[in-house]
Amino acid sequence: MPKTPRRPTDPMAAAEAAFKPARKPAPAAPVPQGVPAPRELVSIRIDRDVLDYFQEDGPGWQERINAALREAAGLSGLSEEGKRPEELNATNDD
């Protein structure tokens, strides 16, 4: 009969085992061209006036913020939908 490992009797060893550093996930496979990249859910603090600016056109404000950030980062002048940030508004929502 195989022996099962015992729990560590040393409290320090038990604590070290419980709080091992988390492993980073493997890098994601590249997304094929034409397929939208998956979105990441994040929490970010934005000044109230900036939020009001993006929300004044109604639904789609998160996509407009994303498009503006992509443009500011130099990643693309177009959103994933192929529209410029100023072209995104509630009528573009699916």
Side-chain angles (χ1 to χ4, degrees), residues 31-92:
V31 178
Q33 189 161 351
V35 176
R39 301 249 171 126
E40 185 83 22
L41 178 64
V42 297
S43 177
I44 184 171
R45 294 183 187 275
I46 298 175
D47 293 336
R48 182 78 243 175
D49 58 339
V50 173
L51 189 58
D52 289 342
Y53 172 82
F54 282 100
Q55 288 181 334
E56 67 187 19
D57 286 336
W61 61 270
Q62 292 166 318
E63 288 80 14
R64 290 190 292 276
I65 289 175
N66 188 59
L69 289 170
R70 290 183 65 79
E71 188 171 335
L75 297 174
S76 170
L78 300 176
S79 69
E80 291 179 8
E81 293 85 15
K83 296 178 176 56
R84 297 202 173 279
E86 59 272 11
E87 297 172 331
L88 293 172
N89 58 39
T91 63
N92 305 122

Side-chain angles (χ1 to χ4, degrees), residues 5-18:
R6 295 174 135 190
R7 291 185 184 174
T9 55
D10 177 22
M12 185 65 143
E16 297 235 350

